[in-house]
Amino acid sequence: MPIITSSKTQPEYDVAIVGSGAGGGQMAFTLTLGGLKCVMLEAGRNYDPVTETPMFQTKAQGPLQASRTEDKPFGFYDATVDGGWQVPNEPYTQASDKPEEQFGWWRARMLGGRTNHWGRISLRNGPYDFKPKSRDGLGFDWPISYEDVADYYTKVEMLIGVYGTNTGRENTPSSPDGVLLPPPKGRASELVTQKYAKKVGVPVVPIHRAVLTKPLDCQNIPAKLHPGNAWAQKIVGDSMLQRAACFWATECGRGCSIRANYQSTTVHLPPALATGNLDIVPNAHVREITLGPDGKANGVLYIDKTTGQEARIKAKAVVLAASSGETVRILLNSKSNAFPDGLANRSGLVGKYLMDTIGTGVSGQVPLLENVPPHNEDGAGGSHFYAPWWLYGEQKAGRMDFPRGYHIEMGGSRGMPGGSNPLPDDLGRGAYGRKFKEEARRYYGSFVGYSCRGEMIPNEDCFCDLDPTVKDKWGIPVLRFHWKWADHELKQVQHAQRTFVSMIEAMGGTVRSRLESDPLKYIENGGKIIHEVGGALMGETAEKSVCNQWNQTWDVKNLFLCDGTPFPSNADKNPTLTIMALAWRAGDHILEQARQGNL
Amino acid sequence: MTTAAALSAGAAVDLPSVSYGQVKAGAAKPYGTDPDLQKVYRPGDLWSLTFDARQIKTAGALADVILPADDLGPAASTLGVVDMLDEWVSAPYDTQQKDRPVILDGLVWIDAESRKRFQKDFADLPESGKTAICDAICDPAKAVKEFRTAARFFSKFRALCAGAYYATPDGWKALGYVGNVALASFDGPPPEVLAQLGVEQTVV
Ligand SMILES: Cc1cc2nc3c(=O)[nH]c(=O)nc-3n(C[C@H](O)[C@H](O)[C@H](O)COP(=O)(O)OP(=O)(O)OC[C@H]3O[C@@H](n4cnc5c(N)ncnc54)[C@H](O)[C@@H]3O)c2cc1C
Ligand code: SF4
C-alpha cells in the first residue's frame, strides 16, 4: 500500500489516522507493524525530505539571503511547507484584541507535519510532571504516572534515536543504559555558559535531541521493539539501515536528507508503508468524524483538496492526531443529534485548558567570546546543552513565588552567517571599510541568548472554541482562541529574566535585550513557543475529562486522540517525546482491543 | 522553537516581534508558502528588479566603501551585493517594502550631497571624497541634525550590504565561519580555543 489519491482508497480500513506528524506517525508505525490495515489522511501535500531538503544551500543562494518573510516566517530554508503563523485558506481568530491576549498558532501542511522542522529537543517528563496537582494543589494530575510511560519513552528513544546523557538530576529521568546515543561535544559558547552559570547556581548539562550521533544499532534494537515478531523486526531493521549518522553540518530545521534526525517522514512512515498495511492520502483535509447508529465512529468526512470535493473513508476506529488545535476543531465541527456540542464533548471540556510553554528570552554579548580563532561549530544542527529546572527543592519548601519550573535553552554558536548584520550599530560605532570587517570578525560568535521554557498552569481563560461566523475556504468553521496569562506565569518570567541577566553578567557580558519591567511586555504570546497542548484532557472520570488514560474518548469508545490534546498539564519538557510515547501506548491498547475482537 | 534557531536567524540583534499577518498584495509576486528550496535563486528570478544604471553605480561605490577589497576578502560589488540589495528593495514583503524608500531616497541623497560638495557623483569621487561624505553619516548615534536622515540610510544600507556580503562563501571567510562541510566527527573547539576561553571540554 502506498501514498495514494482519494479515488484509490479501500472500502474500509481497521483504523483511520488523521494527521501524519509525531502523533499520527507513531500511531501508524505501531498499528501497521501490529498488523492492522490503516489509512492516514493528511491535509498537506506529500513531502519527501530525501529529495527536497536544501542541505548545503548557502543563504546567498536563496531569495533575500534566505531571511524570514511573511511566506516563510522562520526563513526561506525552514522545512515548513504551506505553514507558519498563518496557513493559506485556513484562518483562525482571536477573542480579544489586547496584544497580550493573542494566541499564535503555528501549523504546517505537509506529510510529517511539524516534525520536519521541529527543534528535535526530546525530554522525558519526570514523575512530578504526571502528578503536579498532588505536589502543589494546582491544575490536574494525569491518570497515569511516570512508571506507566517509562517503557514507552525508552521504546521511542530507541526507535527515533536520541542523544544525551543521564544526569541523575531531580525529576529529569534517566534512560536505561545504552539507550541514549553519545552527546555531542560542547561548543565554545556552551562551555563558557556552563562554567559561569554554575557560579550563579544554574546547572548546564548535555541536552537530549533526536539526532543520530552514531548509526542506530539495527542488529539489536528491532528485537527489543518487537519481541517475537521477526516480520516487524526485519522491516524496522531495514528502515534503520536507511538512516545515516549526522555528518555535523546543516541546520536540522531545514530537515535532513540523510535521515539522521527524527522526522515522521524519515523514521515513522517508511517502515509503516513497508508493512503494506498503510495507505496515505495527502491533500485530504478532514472535516468531521462520522458516527454510526451504534454511537461509534465509523469513519471520516474530508475535503479532497485536489478537487475540492467531499469524500468519505470508512474505518472501525479513528485516531485524531491533527495537532492539538486542529483535533479540537474537528471534534467541535463533528456535530450530530447524539453530540450537539461536538463529538466526545458531553463533558463540555473539548477546547478547554489549552496550554503552551511559557517563553521569554534575554540576549547578551560576551567579550570573552570575541576574537575566537575560526573553528567549525555547526555540530548537530541544534543545541548541545541546556539547563534543566534546578529549584524543585526551593519550590517544595515554599521559598519561590511561582509554582512550576522552567528549563533554559541556549544559543550562540558560530552559525552560518548571512541575511542579518553581524555588527550592530551600537557596537560598530560608525565603523565602515576595513574597520567594519575587523569588528564584525571580532564580535562573530560572541553573542549569546537564553530562553525560558516553562510550565504554565492550565486555566479557565485559555481555551479555543468555534468562531461563530468565520469559516475557511471549504466553509468549515474555524477556531477562535482565548488567552490570558495568570500571575504564576508572569512571576516565572520575572525569575527567568533575572536569572539570564545574572548568567550573562557572570560571564562578564553585557545584556543586549531591552529589559522591560512589565512581565506582560516580555512574556511571549501564547502559542509562540509552539508547544500547544491540551483541549481534550485525560482524566479519571467522564465528567471531568474527555479521554481516559489510553487517549480514548470516554463518549466514543473507538475514537483516540493522539497528539497533545489529552495533556492535563504541560511540563517544561518539550512535549513531542511524550506525544509519541503516549501514542505508542495507545496504539498497543488498540492492538490489544483488536485482538480481543473489540474493534 | 529553539533558541539556536532563533539566534541563527538574527544573531546579533533581538528578533523582530512576530507578526501573524499575511502577505500584502502588491506589484511583485511573493514566492508563496511552498517555494522550491533546491533551486539556486538569482536576484531577478522571482520579481523584477528596480535599480537603473545610475543606482547600480552609486550603490556599488558605496557598498565598496563599506566592504572594500582587503586581506579579509573581496569588495562587496564583486560578490553580487548590489544585485542582492536590488532584489531586497524590490521584494513584495513588509520589511523590504519599508526599507525600499530608505535606500532609494538615500542613493539620491548621496549623489546630491556629492555634487553639492565636490561637483561629481559619489561613484566618481576619489577615496578621500567618499570618506568625507561617509564620515558625516556613518554613526547614527553621532550624526548632527541635518545628517540624521542620511545616517539612518547609511545604517540601513550598511546592514543590508553586510547581510548580503556575509551570506556568500567569501563573506564566511571574512567573518571566520568555516562550517557547512560534512565531517566524520565533531570534536568541539580545538585546544587553543579552549585555552583562550579558559574552559575545558566537559563532554568526553
Ligand atoms: C520550529 C519548531 C520547533 C519545535 N521544537 C520542538 C522541540 O525541540 N521539541 C519538541 O518537543 N517540540 C518542538 N516543537 C513542537 C512539535 O513540532 C510538535 O509538538 C509536534 O510536531 C506535534 O505533533 P502532532 O502530531 O501533534 O502535530 P503536527 O506535527 O503538527 O502534525 C499534525 C498534522 O496533521 C495535519 N492536519 C491538520 N489538520 C488536519 C485535518 N483537518 N485533516 C487532515 N490532516 C490535518 C497537519 O497538516 C499536520 O501534518 C517545535 C515546533 C516548531 C514549529
Ligand atoms: S545537523 Fe545532522 S541531523 Fe541535523 S540536518 Fe544536519 S546532518 Fe541531519
Side-chain angles (χ1 to χ4, degrees):
Chain A
M1 286 185 187
I3 296 179
I4 57 170
T5 57
S6 197
S7 57
K8 302 268 169 58
T9 54
Q10 304 292 314
E12 192 182 29
Y13 293 89
D14 292 326
V15 183
I17 300 167
V18 181
S20 61
Q26 181 61 58
M27 198 45 117
F29 176 93
T30 304
L31 296 183
T32 57
L33 284 155
L36 295 186
K37 301 277 180 203
C38 298
V39 63
M40 171 176 273
L41 299 135
E42 167 52 53
R45 72 161 171 87
N46 187 17
Y47 171 75
D48 178 11
V50 174
T51 58
E52 296 193 53
T53 310
M55 292 298 276
F56 288 99
Q57 268 77 347
T58 72
K59 293 188 183 175
Q61 291 171 335
L64 308 171
Q65 297 101 63
S67 56
R68 41 184 79 198
T69 64
E70 292 88 324
D71 278 332
K72 296 283 290 191
F74 284 172
F76 187 74
Y77 290 126
D78 174 56
T80 306
V81 169
D82 292 331
W85 300 114
Q86 292 292 343
V87 166
N89 306 315
E90 297 185 51
Y92 58 95
T93 64
Q94 311 279 349
S96 158
D97 45 23
K98 291 196 185 142
E100 69 274 18
E101 292 178 6
Q102 305 296 297
F103 184 86
W105 190 19
W106 181 285
R107 293 164 290 171
R109 289 287 173 265
M110 62 201 298
L111 194 64
R114 293 174 295 178
T115 68
N116 293 302
H117 65 121
W118 69 310
R120 276 87 182 171
I121 296 173
S122 302
L123 305 174
R124 294 182 179 210
N125 279 6
Y128 304 166
D129 301 321
F130 289 97
K131 302 292 173 193
K133 184 170 187 194
S134 301
R135 264 176 72 80
D136 59 24
L138 297 166
F140 308 102
D141 281 346
W142 297 54
I144 45 179
S145 61
Y146 175 72
E147 287 66 37
D148 295 313
V149 193
D151 289 348
Y152 286 100
Y153 278 131
T154 300
K155 287 213 259 186
V156 174
E157 286 169 349
M158 286 195 287
L159 172 67
I160 70 176
V162 174
Y163 70 64
T165 49
N166 290 325
T167 61
R169 297 198 63 86
E170 188 173 10
N171 199 36
T172 306
S174 294
S175 304
D177 284 348
V179 168
L180 295 176
L181 302 171
K185 299 261 191 302
R187 301 182 177 97
S189 65
E190 291 167 330
L191 294 168
V192 168
T193 299
Q194 185 177 47
K195 174 173 170 181
Y196 291 93
K198 201 171 172 190
K199 300 190 196 291
V200 293
V202 177
V204 173
V205 298
I207 199 170
H208 293 201
R209 282 181 73 243
V211 169
L212 305 187
T213 49
K214 64 176 204 198
L216 284 173
D217 177 2
C218 58
Q219 296 303 319
N220 294 303
I221 294 175
K224 291 180 186 156
L225 299 180
H226 301 278
N229 184 344
W231 170 78
Q233 290 171 22
K234 168 101 176 63
I235 289 171
V236 172
D238 286 350
S239 176
M240 283 180 177
L241 266 177
Q242 300 291 314
R243 300 185 61 197
C246 175
F247 53 40
W248 312 106
T250 74
E251 278 173 8
C252 292
R254 297 180 175 203
C256 188
S257 69
I258 62 166
R259 310 185 196 210
N261 62 33
Y262 166 78
Q263 303 176 230
S264 172
T265 33
T266 52
V267 178
H268 279 137
L269 299 182
L273 283 167
T275 63
N277 289 332
L278 180 65
D279 278 349
I280 298 178
V281 190
N283 303 302
H285 185 91
V286 172
R287 177 188 185 120
E288 59 182 83
I289 313 294
T290 53
L291 203 62
D294 56 357
K296 285 164 108 186
N298 64 8
V300 302
L301 180 67
Y302 67 96
I303 316 284
D304 174 358
K305 286 162 75 183
T306 60
T307 62
Q309 300 297 306
E310 272 188 8
R312 282 170 193 272
I313 292 266
K314 278 180 160 305
K316 296 187 191 118
V318 174
V319 169
L320 283 182
S323 83
S324 300
E326 189 68 22
T327 286
V328 165
R329 180 180 175 212
I330 294 169
L331 290 175
L332 293 177
N333 275 320
S334 303
K335 290 186 176 148
S336 58
N337 288 337
F339 293 100
D341 300 322
L343 195 63
N345 193 20
R346 294 214 172 100
S347 64
L349 291 172
V350 171
K352 299 291 189 302
Y353 305 116
L354 190 65
M355 291 163 273
D356 187 28
T357 292
I358 304 172
T360 193
V362 177
S363 59
Q365 192 276 327
V366 181
L368 181 59
L369 288 164
E370 289 170 21
N371 282 323
V372 169
H375 62 282
N376 185 333
E377 283 210 328
D378 284 356
S383 45
H384 295 181
F385 285 10
Y386 84 127
W389 178 237
W390 64 102
L391 294 170
Y392 289 108
E394 293 292 295
Q395 274 172 332
K396 188 83 190 147
R399 286 196 286 267
M400 308 285 288
D401 64 356
F402 59 98
R404 303 278 170 84
Y406 61 90
H407 71 259
I408 306 173
E409 294 178 11
M410 52 196 67
S413 75
R414 310 169 65 87
M416 183 195 274
S420 64
N421 180 8
L423 184 65
D425 280 357
D426 63 312
L427 296 176
R429 285 188 265 147
Y432 67 91
R434 189 182 159 86
K435 178 83 179 152
F436 181 94
K437 286 174 150 184
E438 281 169 355
E439 292 292 277
R441 194 177 166 90
R442 158 183 167 196
Y443 283 110
Y444 174 61
S446 74
F447 299 99
V448 293
Y450 302 100
S451 300
C452 158
R453 295 290 178 258
E455 175 170 2
M456 75 176 276
I457 315 277
N459 72 52
E460 305 294 325
D461 296 317
C462 294
F463 63 99
C464 53
D465 56 9
L466 293 179
D467 190 286
T469 54
V470 180
K471 299 194 166 67
D472 70 11
K473 180 180 173 184
W474 302 281
I476 310 171
V478 307
L479 282 187
R480 174 175 63 180
F481 288 95
H482 305 250
W483 198 263
K484 214 177 234 171
W485 293 115
D487 209 35
H488 303 306
E489 286 80 48
L490 300 179
K491 289 268 167 44
Q492 188 188 86
V493 292
Q494 286 174 300
H495 186 273
Q497 192 192 64
R498 286 195 301 273
T499 303
F500 301 158
V501 169
S502 69
M503 285 165 64
I504 292 168
E505 287 173 352
M507 288 185 273
T510 316
V511 170
R512 289 193 55 76
S513 306
R514 191 166 82 197
L515 296 178
E516 303 278 356
S517 52
D518 177 3
L520 272 176
K521 291 229 171 76
Y522 61 87
I523 189 168
E524 301 273 15
N525 277 351
K528 189 65 193 298
I529 310 304
I530 323 182
H531 290 164
E532 93 277 5
V533 298
L537 77 168
M538 61 163 69
E540 304 277 3
T541 67
E543 291 71 43
K544 292 199 168 154
S545 55
V546 179
C547 300
N548 65 17
Q549 60 151 314
W550 306 106
N551 301 41
Q552 179 179 28
T553 67
W554 292 107
D555 297 349
V556 183
K557 288 278 178 261
N558 64 342
L559 175 61
F560 295 79
L561 312 182
C562 289
D563 42 29
T565 38
F567 282 35
S569 74
N570 190 15
D572 69 282
K573 284 83 170 179
N574 317 38
T576 310
L577 190 74
T578 301
I579 290 175
M580 292 194 258
L582 292 180
W584 198 323
R585 184 171 180 272
D588 277 356
H589 182 72
I590 294 173
L591 290 173
E592 183 55 35
Q593 294 295 307
R595 269 193 288 276
Q596 293 173 13
N598 293 341
L599 265 197
Chain B
M1 100 160 136
T2 62
T3 312
L7 270 172
S8 69
V13 283
D14 281 347
L15 292 174
S17 66
V18 175
S19 92
Y20 303 132
Q22 272 167 328
V23 181
K24 293 216 180 58
K29 222 165 112 23
Y31 51 65
T33 52
D34 187 14
D36 182 349
L37 302 186
Q38 291 286 332
K39 201 180 144 191
V40 173
Y41 293 85
R42 277 168 320 233
D45 283 357
L46 285 163
W47 44 78
S48 50
L49 303 179
T50 301
F51 288 173
D52 59 19
R54 170 158 188 176
Q55 286 164 317
I56 290 172
K57 195 172 150 205
T58 309
L62 183 55
D64 287 351
V65 173
I66 293 171
L67 296 159
D70 56 25
D71 56 323
L72 290 174
S77 62
T78 67
L79 296 182
V81 166
V82 177
D83 292 340
M84 289 193 260
L85 270 175
D86 198 356
E87 177 194 54
W88 188 278
V89 301
S90 312
Y93 300 103
D94 273 356
T95 305
Q96 288 74 17
Q97 294 271 307
K98 265 190 223 125
D99 290 345
R100 179 182 171 90
V102 179
I103 298 302
L104 297 185
D105 294 354
L107 292 174
V108 172
W109 178 89
I110 205 159
D111 268 344
E113 176 71 7
S114 174
R115 278 193 304 275
K116 192 169 98 191
R117 287 178 64 180
F118 304 108
Q119 296 77 48
K120 271 188 194 156
D121 282 352
F122 182 78
D124 300 327
L125 295 181
E127 248 2 81
S128 59
K130 289 177 182 160
T131 313
I133 291 179
C134 291
D135 281 343
I137 58 175
C138 66
D139 190 348
K142 289 199 188 128
V144 298
K145 193 150 173 251
E146 61 165 317
F147 288 129
R148 261 183 221 150
T149 307
R152 267 196 297 277
F153 152 70
F154 191 90
S155 160
K156 176 59 71 185
F157 189 91
R158 176 173 49 201
L160 294 179
C161 282
Y165 187 87
Y166 292 113
T168 65
D170 280 303
W172 297 352
K173 253 183 244 148
L175 204 56
Y177 172 70
V178 293
N180 210 37
V181 287
L183 303 175
S185 66
F186 178 72
D187 302 329
E192 68 273 19
V193 170
L194 296 175
Q196 177 173 332
L197 297 173
V199 294
E200 274 164 33
Q201 180 56 260
T202 54
V203 175
V204 284

mmCIF file of all heavy atoms in Angstrom, chain A residues 207-222:
data_model
loop_
_atom_site.group_PDB
_atom_site.id
_atom_site.type_symbol
_atom_site.label_atom_id
_atom_site.label_comp_id
_atom_site.label_asym_id
_atom_site.label_seq_id
_atom_site.Cartn_x
_atom_site.Cartn_y
_atom_site.Cartn_z
ATOM 1 N N ILE A 207 22.002 18.286 26.473
ATOM 2 C CA ILE A 207 20.562 18.187 26.229
ATOM 3 C C ILE A 207 20.271 16.850 25.544
ATOM 4 O O ILE A 207 21.203 16.122 25.175
ATOM 5 C CB ILE A 207 20.111 19.389 25.351
ATOM 6 C CG1 ILE A 207 18.604 19.616 25.434
ATOM 7 C CG2 ILE A 207 20.568 19.215 23.899
ATOM 8 C CD1 ILE A 207 18.159 20.918 24.775
ATOM 9 N N HIS A 208 19.007 16.503 25.426
ATOM 10 C CA HIS A 208 18.609 15.324 24.648
ATOM 11 C C HIS A 208 17.959 15.807 23.355
ATOM 12 O O HIS A 208 17.012 16.571 23.389
ATOM 13 C CB HIS A 208 17.576 14.486 25.414
ATOM 14 C CG HIS A 208 18.105 13.839 26.652
ATOM 15 N ND1 HIS A 208 17.508 12.756 27.238
ATOM 16 C CD2 HIS A 208 19.188 14.121 27.423
ATOM 17 C CE1 HIS A 208 18.178 12.398 28.322
ATOM 18 N NE2 HIS A 208 19.205 13.218 28.457
ATOM 19 N N ARG A 209 18.490 15.342 22.222
ATOM 20 C CA ARG A 209 17.858 15.687 20.943
ATOM 21 C C ARG A 209 17.791 14.453 20.048
ATOM 22 O O ARG A 209 18.657 13.576 20.116
ATOM 23 C CB ARG A 209 18.629 16.802 20.209
ATOM 24 C CG ARG A 209 18.362 18.191 20.769
ATOM 25 C CD ARG A 209 19.106 19.291 20.009
ATOM 26 N NE ARG A 209 18.529 19.546 18.703
ATOM 27 C CZ ARG A 209 19.165 19.357 17.553
ATOM 28 N NH1 ARG A 209 20.409 18.904 17.529
ATOM 29 N NH2 ARG A 209 18.561 19.638 16.424
ATOM 30 N N ALA A 210 16.771 14.445 19.191
ATOM 31 C CA ALA A 210 16.538 13.290 18.323
ATOM 32 C C ALA A 210 17.398 13.393 17.068
ATOM 33 O O ALA A 210 16.916 13.681 15.970
ATOM 34 C CB ALA A 210 15.057 13.193 17.969
ATOM 35 N N VAL A 211 18.699 13.192 17.265
ATOM 36 C CA VAL A 211 19.684 13.214 16.179
ATOM 37 C C VAL A 211 20.620 12.025 16.381
ATOM 38 O O VAL A 211 21.071 11.773 17.499
ATOM 39 C CB VAL A 211 20.492 14.539 16.195
ATOM 40 C CG1 VAL A 211 21.687 14.465 15.253
ATOM 41 C CG2 VAL A 211 19.604 15.725 15.834
ATOM 42 N N LEU A 212 20.927 11.325 15.306
ATOM 43 C CA LEU A 212 21.807 10.157 15.408
ATOM 44 C C LEU A 212 23.265 10.605 15.426
ATOM 45 O O LEU A 212 23.825 10.978 14.401
ATOM 46 C CB LEU A 212 21.601 9.210 14.221
ATOM 47 C CG LEU A 212 20.176 8.716 13.960
ATOM 48 C CD1 LEU A 212 20.196 7.650 12.858
ATOM 49 C CD2 LEU A 212 19.536 8.174 15.219
ATOM 50 N N THR A 213 23.882 10.550 16.597
ATOM 51 C CA THR A 213 25.311 10.857 16.664
ATOM 52 C C THR A 213 26.135 9.627 16.313
ATOM 53 O O THR A 213 27.357 9.705 16.204
ATOM 54 C CB THR A 213 25.702 11.380 18.057
ATOM 55 O OG1 THR A 213 25.154 10.496 19.044
ATOM 56 C CG2 THR A 213 25.135 12.769 18.283
ATOM 57 N N LYS A 214 25.473 8.491 16.166
ATOM 58 C CA LYS A 214 26.093 7.331 15.512
ATOM 59 C C LYS A 214 24.954 6.500 14.921
ATOM 60 O O LYS A 214 23.794 6.708 15.292
ATOM 61 C CB LYS A 214 26.964 6.540 16.493
ATOM 62 C CG LYS A 214 26.220 5.909 17.644
ATOM 63 C CD LYS A 214 27.188 5.066 18.474
ATOM 64 C CE LYS A 214 26.405 3.991 19.214
ATOM 65 N NZ LYS A 214 27.122 3.406 20.332
ATOM 66 N N PRO A 215 25.271 5.590 14.017
ATOM 67 C CA PRO A 215 24.167 4.829 13.407
ATOM 68 C C PRO A 215 23.404 4.043 14.463
ATOM 69 O O PRO A 215 23.976 3.624 15.482
ATOM 70 C CB PRO A 215 24.888 3.885 12.438
ATOM 71 C CG PRO A 215 26.227 4.496 12.198
ATOM 72 C CD PRO A 215 26.579 5.226 13.467
ATOM 73 N N LEU A 216 22.120 3.847 14.237
ATOM 74 C CA LEU A 216 21.333 3.052 15.176
ATOM 75 C C LEU A 216 21.782 1.592 15.105
ATOM 76 O O LEU A 216 22.197 1.103 14.052
ATOM 77 C CB LEU A 216 19.849 3.151 14.825
ATOM 78 C CG LEU A 216 19.152 4.452 15.224
ATOM 79 C CD1 LEU A 216 17.739 4.486 14.676
ATOM 80 C CD2 LEU A 216 19.142 4.622 16.742
ATOM 81 N N ASP A 217 21.659 0.906 16.224
ATOM 82 C CA ASP A 217 22.042 -0.493 16.297
ATOM 83 C C ASP A 217 20.919 -1.344 15.689
ATOM 84 O O ASP A 217 20.049 -1.848 16.398
ATOM 85 C CB ASP A 217 22.278 -0.843 17.772
ATOM 86 C CG ASP A 217 22.602 -2.306 17.967
ATOM 87 O OD1 ASP A 217 22.689 -3.041 16.958
ATOM 88 O OD2 ASP A 217 22.759 -2.708 19.131
ATOM 89 N N CYS A 218 20.970 -1.481 14.357
ATOM 90 C CA CYS A 218 19.850 -2.151 13.689
ATOM 91 C C CYS A 218 19.892 -3.675 13.892
ATOM 92 O O CYS A 218 18.978 -4.385 13.501
ATOM 93 C CB CYS A 218 19.789 -1.776 12.218
ATOM 94 S SG CYS A 218 21.281 -2.165 11.339
ATOM 95 N N GLN A 219 20.971 -4.171 14.518
ATOM 96 C CA GLN A 219 21.018 -5.607 14.839
ATOM 97 C C GLN A 219 20.148 -5.923 16.048
ATOM 98 O O GLN A 219 19.471 -6.939 16.098
ATOM 99 C CB GLN A 219 22.461 -6.035 15.163
ATOM 100 C CG GLN A 219 23.424 -5.903 14.009
ATOM 101 C CD GLN A 219 22.971 -6.693 12.794
ATOM 102 O OE1 GLN A 219 22.486 -7.811 12.914
ATOM 103 N NE2 GLN A 219 23.104 -6.092 11.617
ATOM 104 N N ASN A 220 20.194 -5.058 17.039
ATOM 105 C CA ASN A 220 19.580 -5.402 18.327
ATOM 106 C C ASN A 220 18.302 -4.640 18.670
ATOM 107 O O ASN A 220 17.440 -5.162 19.367
ATOM 108 C CB ASN A 220 20.607 -5.197 19.450
ATOM 109 C CG ASN A 220 21.760 -6.180 19.305
ATOM 110 O OD1 ASN A 220 21.540 -7.384 19.278
ATOM 111 N ND2 ASN A 220 22.971 -5.668 19.165
ATOM 112 N N ILE A 221 18.211 -3.389 18.195
ATOM 113 C CA ILE A 221 17.045 -2.600 18.613
ATOM 114 C C ILE A 221 15.721 -3.199 18.120
ATOM 115 O O ILE A 221 14.758 -3.291 18.895
ATOM 116 C CB ILE A 221 17.192 -1.123 18.165
ATOM 117 C CG1 ILE A 221 18.360 -0.473 18.923
ATOM 118 C CG2 ILE A 221 15.914 -0.338 18.439
ATOM 119 C CD1 ILE A 221 18.670 0.955 18.483
ATOM 120 N N PRO A 222 15.630 -3.621 16.844
ATOM 121 C CA PRO A 222 14.324 -4.124 16.377
ATOM 122 C C PRO A 222 13.765 -5.245 17.254
ATOM 123 O O PRO A 222 12.559 -5.283 17.519
ATOM 124 C CB PRO A 222 14.627 -4.611 14.956
ATOM 125 C CG PRO A 222 15.769 -3.747 14.515
ATOM 126 C CD PRO A 222 16.616 -3.567 15.752
#
